[in-house]
Amino acid sequence: MINSESVVASDNSGAVGSLLVKDHDVVVPGQVLANGLEFLPSYGSYRDGDSIIASVLGLLELRGKVLRIIPLAGKYFPKAGDKIIARVIDILMTGWRVEFGSAYSGVLNLKEATSRFVERDEDLTKILGIGDFIVAGITNVTSQNLVDITTRGQGLGPLRGGRIITVGTSKVPRIIGKEGSMVKLLRDSTGCNITVGQNGWIWIDGSPDAEIKMVGAIVEIENNAHVSGLTDHIQKFLEGLR
Amino acid sequence: MTKSGEKYTKRVDGRGFKDVRPMSAKVGIVKRADGSAMFKIGDTVAYAAVYGPRELHPKFMQDPSTGVLRCSYAMMPFSGHGSRVRPGTSRRAKEISMIMANALMPVLDLKMYANSVVDVFVSLPQTDAGTRCAGICAASMALADAGFEMKDMVAAVSVGVADKTVLADINAHEDCDIGASDIPVAMLPQSGKISLLQLDGVVSKEKLSEALDLAKELCTKISEVQRNALKEKYSSGVSQ
């Protein structure tokens, strides 16, 4: 089954556990990560008797004795406080229904979209039409996953021009980078504006050449999202394009 | 005894009685799917694509307490032998779709995906018996590739008994012509729990338990292939 390099102590007296994986290893569901009660399961792993077992495909993150798995795939799941990019799919009585690449759609209420007075029978498509893209914040997610969103706030609102590309939501942290380092690098070296939604939808806006460069870089990040030292690699990648 | 009344002393493809056919697997073969995988065992090839969680239609099928797993099994019209060569769905395909969902459900937890559906589409372009098992193996990999939380992978194999000999991973010749009992088994390799057990034919109690022991052994081997395929997808990349 799994090769253990360390010694497994199976006696009941003062058992010494063993770790069967290394930090940043790719682990798969059902894989035994460690034996012994001193290890603690966190996201993406669970305890079964003496063993810690992985429950999701991802990269192992070892923090002392805590085993956490950063997933490498998965659909976006709405969370209050997230900034997302969404598309209007329907007009409601007092707002809009939007989709954002998740199993659930969201509702943008009229009062969350504009501060001006709207007449009773006014045509809402004057404000947002079907197919329009918006940058929105998620304000509330109920237990049944009904999602409320807002476009009131800094950096939120309708998107005009540019283009939308989509990546897996698990790739978003790599595209943003540590404290936004990757986004800054992308923006500075392509001269193209970029807004990344937590749902993996990305809006880019610039000259056609800059946009092509940006798309190339984002695809490169997506394909190497599990690799460490990615910012350096992307820097070289972008210099190669120049 | 076999169908023809002769002793079964040698397998037609030269395998040992306890050997599986050569296996290979690949993950991420359908680009637009949320997760996908191919599983090949001998001449049986299964492709699985996972879409979801996504909104469930028709709406009356929605369950507000949990997400729903929906499997679809399809042998391609040119894939098989004899009477099964027919396009479109059949009673058999419908049944296998259901048992595949039942075999996969124990490792999944869809509680957080209320009202939504996870669709698993399994297609077999080429078949030589053991299709539901190959389908389950591929579907399990595709679900992991799609990023679902799973307690374990699901590995499946079809064992058989012909002329009092327990056979591993029977092929279509043994299933149809020799008349071996066909016992498809799906297993959670980590815990050894069984999530699918069917039996087509007659078998003694002793032979059944012998066959199940063999199936357990084989499922461990199969899960190794599944795991390696999942890791393979992320083994390449720059500067690692």
Side-chain angles (χ1 to χ4, degrees), chain B residues 100-116:
Chain B
M100 282 200 333
N102 289 354
L104 293 165
M105 210 47 223
V107 297
L108 284 171
D109 181 11
L110 302 178
K111 284 273 178 307
M112 68 188 291
Y113 304 116
N115 289 322
S116 69

Side-chain angles (χ1 to χ4, degrees), chain B residues 25-48:
Chain B
K26 198 168 184 338
V27 166
I29 42 151
V30 182
K31 198 165 172 270
R32 299 303 297 268
D34 294 314
S36 59
M38 180 277 290
F39 185 82
K40 184 172 187 288
I41 185 161
D43 285 337
T44 300
V45 185
Y47 284 80

Side-chain angles (χ1 to χ4, degrees), chain B residues 201-218:
Chain B
V202 181
V203 67
S204 71
K205 200 171 94 188
E206 290 74 28
K207 288 294 159 194
L208 178 61
S209 83
E210 202 183 308
L212 286 180
D213 287 343
L214 177 62
K216 191 169 185 176
E217 224 173 274
L218 302 176

Side-chain angles (χ1 to χ4, degrees), chain B:
Chain B
M1 284 291 144
T2 61
K3 230 178 193 175
S4 55
E6 287 158 30
K7 276 200 171 307
Y8 198 59
T9 50
K10 194 161 180 272
R11 296 187 88 167
V12 68
D13 49 11
R15 271 187 292 162
F17 290 128
K18 299 197 166 174
D19 295 343
V20 283
R21 292 173 283 179
M23 293 182 280
S24 65
K26 198 168 184 338
V27 166
I29 42 151
V30 182
K31 198 165 172 270
R32 299 303 297 268
D34 294 314
S36 59
M38 180 277 290
F39 185 82
K40 184 172 187 288
I41 185 161
D43 285 337
T44 300
V45 185
Y47 284 80
V50 172
Y51 295 83
R54 59 182 180 183
E55 224 176 304
L56 174 51
H57 289 292
K59 230 172 173 171
F60 70 85
M61 284 175 74
Q62 289 185 355
D63 186 341
S65 63
T66 181
V68 176
L69 178 68
R70 191 163 56 175
C71 285
S72 159
Y73 163 100
M75 264 167 79
M76 290 185 187
F78 46 79
S79 67
H81 310 73
S83 63
R84 285 177 195 168
V85 184
R86 176 153 39 93
T89 191
S90 60
R91 189 210 56 82
R92 177 178 171 275
K94 195 111 181 144
E95 178 196 309
I96 294 176
S97 301
M98 185 200 74
I99 63 104
M100 282 200 333
N102 289 354
L104 293 165
M105 210 47 223
V107 297
L108 284 171
D109 181 11
L110 302 178
K111 284 273 178 307
M112 68 188 291
Y113 304 116
N115 289 322
S116 69
V117 66
V118 178
D119 273 316
V120 179
F121 300 120
V122 173
S123 284
L124 296 117
Q126 184 179 304
T127 64
D128 187 21
T131 55
R132 71 195 66 193
C133 295
I136 289 167
C137 290
S140 163
M141 287 191 287
L143 284 165
D145 182 42
F148 284 96
E149 259 195 86
M150 296 162 82
K151 263 192 187 154
D152 202 345
M153 299 291 289
V154 184
V157 71
S158 176
V159 287
V161 179
D163 183 30
K164 289 179 186 146
T165 311
V166 175
L167 305 170
D169 181 29
I170 57 170
N171 60 26
H173 170 70
E174 287 164 331
D175 187 9
C176 305
D177 306 335
I178 303 296
S181 309
D182 181 13
I183 313 168
V185 184
M187 210 172 262
L188 283 51
Q190 187 48 49
S191 59
K193 285 179 181 157
I194 291 174
S195 67
L196 166 71
L197 179 57
Q198 292 183 298
L199 169 62
D200 179 14
V202 181
V203 67
S204 71
K205 200 171 94 188
E206 290 74 28
K207 288 294 159 194
L208 178 61
S209 83
E210 202 183 308
L212 286 180
D213 287 343
L214 177 62
K216 191 169 185 176
E217 224 173 274
L218 302 176
C219 282
T220 310
K221 269 186 205 160
I222 292 169
S223 78
E224 201 85 331
V225 174
Q226 291 176 306
R227 281 177 191 184
N228 290 340
L230 282 166
K231 287 183 181 175
E232 184 76 17
K233 186 181 175 185
Y234 296 99
S235 65
S236 60
V238 287
S239 70
Q240 207 171 18

Side-chain angles (χ1 to χ4, degrees), chain A residues 174-210:
Chain A
R174 296 315 301 268
I175 288 168
I176 292 171
K178 267 200 190 101
E179 283 147 22
S181 59
M182 188 71 89
V183 163
K184 191 174 181 307
L185 170 71
L186 290 170
R187 194 178 285 141
D188 292 350
S189 46
T190 61
C192 184
N193 204 0
I194 175 171
T195 301
V196 185
Q198 282 297 326
N199 56 336
W201 291 17
I202 301 168
W203 176 73
I204 56 177
D205 184 27
S207 69
D209 282 354

Side-chain angles (χ1 to χ4, degrees), chain A:
Chain A
M1 292 261 288
I2 293 146
N3 295 326
S4 159
E5 286 161 26
S6 38
V7 187
V8 183
S10 53
D11 59 322
N12 296 326
S13 58
V16 177
S18 64
L19 190 65
L20 308 172
V21 283
K22 294 192 301 293
D23 200 17
H24 290 297
D25 269 2
V26 175
V27 296
V28 299
Q31 184 177 347
V32 180
L33 304 176
N35 287 309
L37 290 171
E38 71 263 43
F39 293 102
L40 295 170
S42 180
Y43 181 80
S45 60
Y46 67 100
R47 174 178 293 286
D48 183 21
D50 227 19
S51 326
I52 307 275
I53 297 167
S55 63
V56 70
L57 175 69
L59 288 177
L60 183 85
E61 196 183 62
L62 199 57
R63 289 272 174 276
K65 297 282 181 191
V66 180
L67 299 157
R68 200 181 105 97
I69 297 169
I70 304 160
L72 283 165
K75 271 219 160 159
Y76 176 66
F77 197 83
K79 195 164 101 264
D82 277 0
K83 186 173 89 172
I84 56 165
I85 291 178
R87 190 170 68 113
V88 176
I89 52 167
D90 200 1
I91 317 260
L92 311 175
M93 201 70 116
T94 57
W96 297 263
R97 184 164 292 281
V98 299
E99 63 163 10
F100 42 83
S102 153
Y104 305 98
S105 56
V107 172
L108 173 65
N109 199 286
L110 191 50
K111 70 170 190 286
E112 295 291 352
T114 177
S115 51
R116 77 170 172 85
F117 181 75
V118 179
E119 295 285 337
R120 178 169 275 275
D121 51 359
E122 200 173 312
D123 181 12
L124 290 188
T125 57
K126 276 194 221 153
I127 303 165
L128 282 172
I130 290 171
D132 283 0
F133 283 93
I134 54 170
V135 185
I138 297 182
T139 50
N140 192 26
V141 182
T142 71
S143 66
Q144 293 309 102
N145 301 316
L146 301 173
V147 181
D148 283 333
I149 62 163
T150 181
T151 53
R152 294 176 77 170
Q154 210 194 349
L156 308 183
L159 292 168
R160 309 262 183 254
R163 64 168 107 175
I164 299 279
I165 55 172
T166 57
V167 298
T169 180
S170 56
K171 270 67 171 190
V172 168
R174 296 315 301 268
I175 288 168
I176 292 171
K178 267 200 190 101
E179 283 147 22
S181 59
M182 188 71 89
V183 163
K184 191 174 181 307
L185 170 71
L186 290 170
R187 194 178 285 141
D188 292 350
S189 46
T190 61
C192 184
N193 204 0
I194 175 171
T195 301
V196 185
Q198 282 297 326
N199 56 336
W201 291 17
I202 301 168
W203 176 73
I204 56 177
D205 184 27
S207 69
D209 282 354
E211 281 184 5
I212 286 165
K213 235 191 234 177
M214 182 67 103
V215 172
I218 288 169
V219 169
E220 187 70 11
I221 297 171
E222 201 184 1
N223 291 339
N224 293 293
H226 57 290
V227 172
S228 50
L230 193 57
T231 314
D232 292 343
H233 171 69
I234 295 301
Q235 189 146 24
K236 285 195 199 101
F237 176 83
L238 285 163
E239 275 161 16
L241 285 183
R242 221 164 264 161

